Amino acid sequence: MKSVRIPITLSSPHRATNGKLYGAGHATIVFSNMDTNDQSEWEPAINALLSDGYQILTYGYPEHIDDQSRILEDAVSYIAEAGARQIILVGASRGGVASIKVAARNTNNDSIVGVVALSAPIEYEGTIFYYNHELSGIKIPKLLINSENDDGANDTRKMFELFEGQKELLIYPGDAHGTELFHKEGEPIITKIRGFAKSVFAA
């Protein structure tokens, strides 16, 4: 693992944000944090995916805002310039929103090949993050994960119905949110993400 500085292009008092880069190669997974903004919460998944030979990037949000998708776009640009050719976006909660928004914008569309979202809402406190036509326009493979008693579980189900093309939905018991799911359902979720990555990168 090496620490990296990711340049920020949007209008912001912050010129860069800190990230961590693991492994090497053209097939890359970019993890986006939930509200805790703690990159270490991804470690259970990182350790498993590194053994499959992927390059992995985590990064932090320089400021607390609901929509972190522009920071994710900068992270994607950074890793693409570093040689990534195929990128899967994986995000939890706020990071799941960012991942879906970037996939919906078709930014770097030839390099972003899949998206995984844990406990990502459609709207939060009156802010709608994406509309039906944006969700139905995401053509790359999609994997949605949540717990049945999470506040955003209904949004997860609605999103799954709106998605077209290759998609999968996993709902687990309990009320774990985002990366909290790793504490209770870590092994099956990580196995599913590994299988998703393997099939998407192979395609």
Side-chain angles (χ1 to χ4, degrees):
M1 185 276 291
K2 67 176 181 178
S3 297
V4 295
R5 293 278 285 168
I6 299 167
I8 292 174
T9 58
L10 81 169
S11 178
S12 168
H14 307 276
R15 302 178 69 94
T17 188
N18 294 317
K20 296 175 182 176
L21 186 63
Y22 303 79
H26 297 309
T28 301
I29 299 170
V30 179
F31 285 102
S32 296
N33 305 325
M34 57 181 200
D35 302 5
T36 51
N37 200 20
D38 182 358
Q39 297 175 56
S40 70
E41 291 176 349
W42 294 111
E43 285 178 1
I46 289 170
N47 294 334
L49 290 161
L50 275 176
S51 68
D52 294 333
Y54 308 127
Q55 179 174 243
I56 294 171
L57 177 69
T58 66
Y59 66 100
Y61 307 133
E63 54 190 327
H64 189 81
I65 54 176
D66 288 339
D67 182 359
Q68 300 284 3
S69 60
R70 296 299 181 186
I71 302 297
L72 173 54
E73 286 188 344
D74 288 334
V76 168
S77 295
Y78 172 86
I79 204 66
E81 289 172 9
R85 297 290 175 264
Q86 295 177 295
I87 299 168
I88 291 175
L89 305 177
V90 181
S93 188
R94 190 166 308 214
V97 169
S99 299
I100 292 168
K101 284 182 73 73
V102 170
R105 284 190 197 123
N106 295 321
T107 308
N108 289 294
N109 195 37
D110 35 348
S111 60
I112 296 175
V113 294
V115 60
V116 180
L118 290 74
S119 308
I122 293 174
E123 65 91 24
Y124 177 70
E125 293 185 345
T127 298
I128 298 172
F129 295 116
Y130 15 68
Y131 293 93
N132 293 3
H133 70 278
E134 294 175 290
L135 293 170
S136 62
I138 301 174
K139 303 307 181 188
I140 57 177
K142 300 153 289 280
L143 172 61
L144 294 178
I145 303 170
N146 210 341
S147 61
E148 59 187 359
N149 296 321
D150 180 79
D151 289 343
N154 287 336
D155 277 7
T156 299
R157 292 185 179 95
K158 180 181 178 184
M159 205 180 302
F160 180 73
E161 291 173 5
L162 291 166
F163 281 156
E164 298 178 1
Q166 185 177 335
K167 60 182 180 178
E168 190 166 359
L169 172 65
L170 298 175
I171 302 288
Y172 291 95
D175 60 359
H177 181 73
T179 53
E180 293 172 358
L181 281 155
F182 288 134
H183 303 313
K184 295 184 176 180
E185 309 287 349
E187 191 170 329
I189 290 175
I190 290 168
T191 298
K192 178 58 68 173
I193 293 174
R194 290 177 76 179
F196 178 85
K198 184 177 181 180
S199 66
V200 168
F201 285 137

